[in-house]
Amino acid sequence: MVIELALLGISVGALSGFFGIGGGTVSVPILLYLGFGIKEAIGISVMQMVAGSLLAAWIHHKKQTYVVHDIKYFGYGGIVGAIIGGFLVKLLQATVLEWLFLSIVAFTLGRLALSSPVPSRAEVVNRPLYSLIGGFIGIFSGMLGVGGSILMTPILVSFMGFPLKKASAVGLFFVMFTSVSAFITLLWLGMMNLQAGMIMALSSLIGIALGIWLLHRVHATHYKQVLVLFYILIFAITAYKLIAG
């Protein structure tokens, strides 16, 4: 099982570093297939996301992909939004939340597919607006248990003038806030398989470094094409699960 977890960690880490995602959408189903319970699988995935997002933030900071001084406000808003989302879960039906999430993802993906990988306008730098965007995405993170990067990247590219690769990196930075919060909560509730989580988390660091290395070497146009296809695949899988019940 150690080898399987290590290989999964490297693979998910590479996807996270390259696409700017948390990785839970990929890792949780595979962990279930390996025999872990759903709660264990979520905990292991969250532990991997914490390690991966922290390393990714450090690498992108060293490469000056973004300025943490500004984009940290996305995370601050995300923390508040996730709390609100947690309360909204009790007020709204799950089906309503899922369809609303899919509708927003479909809209933002459409915008991403039609946008240029090189922005045609100046990047918007507005900390209060960053907090609002982070809060909006954080609400869905709290309601649906997703990292939020699948919404973050298209929004930044389509509406905020962010270069595609930078937006992808910021999406993974945002995951750091939500995953750390989830890790603390799950650890406190005693739902964390620390041994399995540590194996996957440490091995994912190799994948994260590899994914970010590849991110900075692929052409922006080619990156957009691969990213859109990947997002469409994730969207289709999510939609199928919702429709199939």
Side-chain angles (χ1 to χ4, degrees):
M1 185 64 72
V2 174
I3 296 177
E4 289 89 340
L5 287 172
L7 291 175
L8 178 58
I10 294 173
S11 301
V12 172
L15 290 174
S16 298
F18 186 69
F19 290 112
I21 61 172
T25 306
V26 177
S27 61
V28 170
I30 297 177
L31 288 168
L32 292 175
Y33 176 78
L34 290 176
F36 292 95
I38 182 61
K39 294 182 179 180
E40 273 190 314
I42 292 174
I44 294 169
S45 177
V46 165
M47 195 166 176
Q48 178 273 316
M49 284 192 284
V50 171
S53 60
L54 286 171
L55 177 63
W58 180 78
I59 293 176
H60 282 303
H61 175 67
K62 297 291 288 185
K63 290 180 175 292
Q64 298 181 333
T65 308
Y66 49 63
V67 179
V68 176
H69 192 62
D70 290 324
I71 69 163
K72 64 184 179 183
Y73 288 89
F74 286 117
Y76 295 159
I79 293 173
V80 177
I83 295 173
I84 296 173
F87 283 104
L88 289 178
V89 170
K90 296 184 178 180
L91 301 177
L92 301 175
Q93 293 182 353
T95 303
V96 174
L97 300 177
E98 291 170 343
W99 279 111
L100 180 59
F101 175 75
L102 283 175
S103 298
I104 294 175
V105 170
F107 173 74
T108 54
L109 281 180
R111 294 281 306 197
L112 177 61
L114 296 174
S115 64
S116 171
V118 179
S120 57
R121 61 174 179 171
E123 181 179 319
V124 177
V125 180
N126 187 316
R127 293 177 181 176
L129 183 57
Y130 287 178
S131 296
L132 287 175
I133 293 173
F136 170 74
I137 297 174
I139 288 174
F140 285 96
S141 297
M143 289 191 298
L144 302 174
V146 297
S149 58
I150 194 172
L151 287 176
M152 177 69 76
T153 301
I155 288 175
L156 296 185
V157 172
S158 301
F159 302 105
M160 302 293 290
F162 275 57
L164 181 56
K165 292 184 180 181
K166 179 177 180 179
S168 179
V170 171
L172 186 53
F173 177 84
F174 182 80
V175 170
M176 178 174 63
F177 289 82
T178 56
S179 61
V180 168
S181 176
F183 173 77
I184 294 173
T185 302
L186 292 174
L187 185 63
W188 180 65
L189 293 174
M191 296 170 55
M192 189 69 65
N193 184 330
L194 292 176
Q195 181 178 1
M198 185 65 69
I199 294 171
M200 189 168 169
L202 292 177
S203 60
S204 74
L205 300 182
I206 301 173
I208 284 285
L210 177 62
I212 294 177
W213 176 84
L214 184 60
L215 170 66
H216 283 277
R217 279 158 179 77
V218 67
H219 191 276
T221 301
H222 297 153
Y223 179 70
K224 176 194 168 182
Q225 294 170 348
V226 176
L227 183 66
V228 169
L229 288 175
F230 178 76
Y231 273 24
I232 290 174
L233 175 63
I234 296 299
F235 172 77
I237 293 173
T238 305
Y240 174 77
K241 290 181 179 179
L242 177 58
I243 294 172

